């Protein structure tokens, strides 16, 4: 199969400046000559697997949708009507290498922002109803055709149809309409209303991006710094207790505590560590399993000498940050951080960009003892996988 490429007409700089996180846009033939990674029957097969998240959404009467959650049985599919239903399978990139490869085309955006690739198969007339999502998404059309209506950006208090498991919009007004065929992509920023309907049996690849909510950040960062707090450090009364009225909490009494608390939350260095760990958290940690027997340095060197090939676990996430102020480079893998001196910057960049690490071809990585030790640890913890 020929390697997919983005259209030479797609200008990523212009896209980032004009549209990313700002407004929806149709990207016609973003991937020219697009070929599907799997057939609808294979998608249905995945939806029958225990570990795969999937949903079947049927519009059983005009404007009324029913949702069922997988895993499904073959018979669930044979009983479906000819039209008006959609099968959605989450994180197909975890299971199908050709789908994971699609993510590499979006390398004009940070890889740690990508959440997953969900694939939907919609029978003619199938739709999941008018809604908005909290994340950026590229809706990449596979086989067949789908028509998309796009509306305005929604506020959190927008009216939803009551009693629907799907959060569907009560008053959807389309301001744009597009018909997508294979290789076209529609970019939708967070909270823009959208509604796709299959005009023929069709596949759609949703390349979704993650963005932690403020609530998640406050909770996650607080949890992260809690472990460094001295339990003996407590609220203390200041000496400004004059003219106290019984049950009164005097603003002056809060001041020191407030200052101490905000100083801790304003720890940029700590926040940096937490942020990198947080955004590199895997979506499915259960798919990253340590080796039954950890490899010693000696065992690992022997495997490398045998020409073992290292591949990144498709469930693992890698990110790095060059910290000029600290004079170091921070590598984040699956929610953990390792710090290297700046002289390792090019190796860390190369490691994050590498798809495979193959003895003989990734020579710089495999000749540096510090990086070899990193690779050994990542193989032991399951973030790297080995094959011969
Ligand atoms: C679909 O694939 O039909 C639904 C995707 C979406 O609207 O987010
Ligand atoms: Co959506």
């Amino acid at each position: 199969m020929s390697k997919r490429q983005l259209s030479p007409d797609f200008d990523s700089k212009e896209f980032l400046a004009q549209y990313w996180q700002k407004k929806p846009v149709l990207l016609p033939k973003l991937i020219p000559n697009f070929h599907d990674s799997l057939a609808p029957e294979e998608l249905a097969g995945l939806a029958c697997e225990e570990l795969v998240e999937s949903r079947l959404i049927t519009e059983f009467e005009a404007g009324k949708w029913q949702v069922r959650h997988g895993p499904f049985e073959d018979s669930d599919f044979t009983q479906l009507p000819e039209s008006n239903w959609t099968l959605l399978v989450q994180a197909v990139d975890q299971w199908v290498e050709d789908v994971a490869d699609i993510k590499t085309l979006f390398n004009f955006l940070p890889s740690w922002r990508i959440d997953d690739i969900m694939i939907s198969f919609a029978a003619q007339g199938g739709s999941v109803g008018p809604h908005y999502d909290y994340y950026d998404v590229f809706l990449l059309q596979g086989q067949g055709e789908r028509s998309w209506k796009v509306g305005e950006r929604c506020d959190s208090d927008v009216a939803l149809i009551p009693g629907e498991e799907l959060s569907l919009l009560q008053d959807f007004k389309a301001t744009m309409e597009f018909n997508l065929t294979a290789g076209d992509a529609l970019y939708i920023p967070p909270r823009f209303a959208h509604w796709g309907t299959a005009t023929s049996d069709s596949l759609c690849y949703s390349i979704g991006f993650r963005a932690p909510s403020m609530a998640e950040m406050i909770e996650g960062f607080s949890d992260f710094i809690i472990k460094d707090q001295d339990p003996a450090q407590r609220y203390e009364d200041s000496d400004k207790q004059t003219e106290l009225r019984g049950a009164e909490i005097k603003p002056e009494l809060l001041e020191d505590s407030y200052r101490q608390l905000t100083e801790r939350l304003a720890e940029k260095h700590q926040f940096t560590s937490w942020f990198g760990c947080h955004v590199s958290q895997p979506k499915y940690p259960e798919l990253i399993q340590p080796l039954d027997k950890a490899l010693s340095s000696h065992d690992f060197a022997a495997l490398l000498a045998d020409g073992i090939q290292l591949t990144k676990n498709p469930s693992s996430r890698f990110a790095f940050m060059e910290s000029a102020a600290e004079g170091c480079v921070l590598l984040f893998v699956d929610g953990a951080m390792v710090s290297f001196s700046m002289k390792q910057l090019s190796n860390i960049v190369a490691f994050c960009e590498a798809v495979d690490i193959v003895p003989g071809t990734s020579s710089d990585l495999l000749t540096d003892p510090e990086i070899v030790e990193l690779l050994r640890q990542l193989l032991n913890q399951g973030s790297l996988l080995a094959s011969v």
Side-chain angles (χ1 to χ4, degrees), residues 208-247:
F209 288 74
R210 46 160 68 171
S213 67
M214 260 319 137
E216 248 179 86
M217 288 208 262
I218 294 168
E219 187 187 17
F221 184 51
S222 310
D223 282 350
F224 184 78
I225 55 175
I226 277 170
K227 61 182 181 328
D228 296 332
Q229 304 308 316
D230 176 357
Q233 267 205 329
R234 303 209 155 223
Y235 162 83
E236 283 174 5
D237 289 328
S238 72
D239 48 11
K240 301 169 190 138
Q241 300 206 49
T242 47
E243 296 162 38
L244 200 63
R245 285 171 291 191

Side-chain angles (χ1 to χ4, degrees), residues 86 88 118-120 122 126-129 131 133 135 137 139 146 148 194-196 204 206:
T86 308
L88 302 113
M118 176 185 82
I119 303 185
S120 69
S127 97
V128 306
H131 66 281
D133 302 304
Y135 48 79
V137 65
L139 299 158
R146 223 172 270 195
W148 287 93
H194 54 283
W195 186 1
C204 172
S206 294

